[in-house]
Amino acid sequence: MAPAVILLHGDDNVVVCCRTVEAGEHIRVEGVDIIAEQRVALGHKLARRDLCTGDKVIKYGASIGSMTADIKAGGWVHMHNMKSDYIGAHMRDAVTG
Amino acid sequence: MNAQGYLRPDGRKGIRDVLIVAYLVECAHHTARRIVDLADDPQVHLVGFPGCYPNDYARRMMKALVAHPNVGGVILVSLGCESFDREGVAAHAAAHGRPVETIVIQQVGGTRAAIEQGRAAVGRVKAQMAAAQVRVPLSLSDLVVGTVCGGSDGTSGITANPAVGRAFDGLVDAGATCIFEETGEMIGCEGPMAQRAGSPAVADAIVASIAKAETYYRTMGFGSFAPGNAEGGLSSQEEKSAGAYVKSGSRPIIGVIKPPERTTAPGLYLMDVVPDGEPRFGFPNISDNAEIVEMIASGAHLTLFTTGRGSVVGSAIAPVIKITGNPETWQRLGEDMDINAGAIFDGSATLDSVGAEIVALIEAVAGGAETKSEAMGHREFILTYKAFEPSGPGCFPR
């Protein structure tokens, strides 16, 4: 059975789902239980601890951007609540000149 | 490694013996494609450049491709009034010992006549290639291996990309030449990358290439971040960057080259793919195959292509080995994938075992085994306008 998530670096405040994680699932990360707030797909990230607006999101032991909203441990961390500190991303509905 | 290569007159060794049919402007594309279609031969590949206006980069790229070690013969298809330096490219191919023929549509009497002449030329060039063929033993140290990623997701940076990194470490240790690239997708990784540089000049070139990439993408208004990246769990450019960077493995970065510059000694190189000067011609590379073509032009015999979402592409001229990091993609698109790095998730494989699997497959493919994309008939090719200044001597290993 595949583990639910992987912690890539000890300093990380997010973990990566190794499979689809179900809402309400209890997941043990380094001896601490987090509860998935919603269904989250393979490859996506869950907060390992409570995060606040402006906090750096740490993955691979390095910052991958900043939080734009507050979130509880077990919450889904993605573009609705974090952003790049370098350069904007574009989505399928992007319209350009 | 038990493989036979194709010895070229310049001493380089190829792993395929391809006849390329190259259109030199979009107006000659249909005619060239018909010549290739009618040949119906997996050894005959279509390449080309669509633009009518001169571009030094495209000219140098085409010269590099006609003399690529996997290329044994060349047919150029010109409309006649475009600016492409067809005589220069033909002379370059001939100077490198490749049989070459040029068909000029306006001179031979139009589409039908050009296709007929093209069919006859394919027969003649193939006969010359067969007569000139010299097979020699190949070892890993003869190979130049590139890597790119496409359709990345949250799995790429955990499984497929670090597994390629392990493979790269093994290849470099065996005396091979390895090239990684996508400076626009390594924004945020410049610090650790510079620490691996083989010399202070190379470190400076690494940092400068990333700064250039960030400026360029900012001007364009987008990072190198596609909708599928987000759907697959990636949330920012720097998150994608960290995952992309691990493809490079851990060995020293001994040089920074720009396409189609060649490597000068075995080891690991970064390819700087972002054009120099003010942004002029649009995105640095408009899709994954443009990156693969640049790898090939710089001498790559084959390319390791990691994907999370599931790219299906191959390439003209040089085989593409596709490695998916996502076990769900392996289930869904397994026919198109060569290696399942997603097996790392359920513990049935490790980064080291997948790295070894990649090296073993490289040896097999160098020996003639077909990749999945070759078997499916994928021969993608794209070459567009760009501009580069030559790299300084400090960018190469001393």
Side-chain angles (χ1 to χ4, degrees):
Chain A
M1 179 66 185
V5 300
I6 183 170
L7 176 68
L8 292 168
H9 190 284
D11 295 343
D12 290 0
N13 53 20
V14 293
V15 292
V16 181
C17 298
C18 297
R19 56 170 170 79
T20 301
V21 166
E22 301 298 337
E25 199 175 325
H26 289 243
I27 298 160
R28 180 147 287 231
V29 182
E30 301 282 294
V32 179
D33 260 1
I34 59 173
I35 301 169
E37 195 175 81
Q38 63 188 95
R39 191 170 211 257
V40 178
L42 168 71
H44 285 249
K45 296 175 291 300
L46 292 175
R48 190 181 165 196
R49 55 179 72 104
D50 295 355
L51 298 173
C52 300
T53 303
D55 282 356
K56 298 294 185 195
V57 182
I58 307 297
K59 178 183 173 188
Y60 301 109
S63 171
I64 60 163
S66 300
M67 295 300 295
T68 57
D70 296 347
I71 187 175
K72 297 283 186 202
W76 177 38
V77 178
H78 199 32
M79 296 165 80
H80 61 294
N81 55 22
M82 68 163 283
K83 65 170 183 57
S84 170
D85 293 327
Y86 276 80
I87 197 164
H90 62 287
M91 294 300 292
R92 214 176 291 284
D93 56 2
V95 174
T96 177
Chain B
M1 173 169 167
N2 184 22
Q4 295 281 308
Y6 299 87
L7 181 65
R8 305 302 175 191
D10 58 8
R12 295 164 83 189
K13 298 176 189 172
I15 65 167
R16 294 290 183 273
D17 197 27
V18 173
L19 193 178
I20 54 172
V21 178
Y23 59 90
L24 302 183
V25 62
E26 182 61 21
C27 318
H29 188 160
H30 169 75
T31 302
R33 185 170 56 222
R34 286 298 293 158
I35 293 167
V36 171
D37 286 349
L38 291 165
D40 192 24
D41 181 340
Q43 196 182 353
V44 180
H45 295 188
L46 179 69
V47 305
F49 177 68
C52 187
Y53 303 97
N55 183 244
D56 183 59
Y57 159 81
R59 186 178 59 84
R60 290 186 295 115
M61 287 286 288
M62 197 64 84
K63 282 187 166 181
L65 293 171
V66 299
H68 187 279
N70 288 0
V71 172
V74 180
I75 294 172
L76 303 177
V77 184
S78 161
L79 175 63
C81 49
E82 78 277 5
S83 64
F84 209 98
D85 175 23
R86 64 171 186 256
E87 284 83 10
V89 172
H92 189 77
H96 284 76
R98 305 311 200 271
V100 55
E101 297 208 20
T102 302
I103 295 158
V104 181
I105 297 169
Q106 289 167 349
Q107 291 174 7
V108 300
T111 306
R112 192 185 309 275
I115 292 169
E116 280 171 18
Q117 294 211 2
R119 292 187 71 181
V122 167
R124 285 191 297 272
V125 172
K126 277 202 71 172
Q128 288 175 273
M129 287 166 61
Q133 206 175 82
V134 180
R135 304 301 299 267
V136 288
L138 273 178
S139 67
L140 284 176
S141 61
D142 292 314
L143 295 183
V144 180
V145 179
T147 187
V148 302
C149 47
S152 296
D153 68 13
T155 70
S156 302
I158 298 167
T159 54
N161 292 352
V164 165
R166 301 292 167 96
F168 260 30
D169 286 353
L171 290 166
V172 168
D173 294 347
T177 301
C178 293
I179 309 173
F180 71 108
E181 53 108 27
E182 294 163 316
T183 47
E185 300 180 8
M186 293 184 190
I187 292 167
C189 301
E190 56 275 17
M193 215 164 12
Q195 287 174 4
R196 289 170 58 198
S199 71
V202 169
D204 290 347
I206 289 169
V207 172
S209 74
I210 302 295
K212 179 175 69 169
E214 198 189 356
T215 303
Y216 201 101
Y217 279 100
R218 254 188 224 290
T219 306
M220 291 292 125
F222 290 131
S224 174
F225 193 97
N229 299 147
E231 288 155 13
L234 296 174
S235 310
S236 69
Q237 181 65 63
E238 53 269 46
E239 180 179 15
K240 181 175 173 179
S241 295
Y245 171 55
V246 295
K247 294 198 303 303
S248 65
S250 65
R251 297 299 179 256
I253 301 166
I254 62 168
V256 181
I257 58 171
K258 299 174 187 177
E261 290 170 349
R262 298 243 319 268
T263 58
T264 54
L268 178 67
Y269 294 76
L270 172 66
M271 177 179 278
D272 171 12
V273 301
V274 175
D276 291 317
E278 288 298 307
R280 275 186 283 177
F281 301 122
F283 283 95
N285 279 324
I286 63 174
S287 56
D288 297 326
N289 278 97
E291 301 174 353
I292 293 172
V293 168
E294 291 188 329
M295 283 286 175
I296 296 168
S298 282
H301 292 89
L302 52 82
T303 304
L304 305 176
F305 187 124
T306 63
T307 182
R309 305 296 288 172
S311 173
V312 300
V313 304
S315 179
I317 299 175
V320 173
I321 292 174
K322 287 204 300 298
I323 302 151
T324 185
N326 188 324
E328 295 172 0
T329 298
W330 177 258
Q331 289 296 324
R332 205 166 51 243
L333 282 84
E335 278 191 340
D336 288 286
M337 299 299 141
D338 294 284
I339 287 181
N340 176 23
I344 290 166
F345 279 123
D346 67 14
S348 61
T350 63
L351 288 176
D352 282 330
S353 74
V354 176
E357 193 184 344
I358 293 168
V359 174
L361 185 59
I362 289 170
E363 293 182 341
V365 168
E370 276 191 326
T371 64
K372 293 285 179 69
S373 53
E374 284 182 298
M376 291 275 178
H378 282 282
R379 303 280 185 269
E380 285 85 353
F381 184 91
I382 185 162
L383 176 60
T384 58
Y385 286 90
K386 288 176 83 167
F388 287 103
E389 306 293 333
S391 296
C395 293
F396 295 89
R398 284 162 296 179

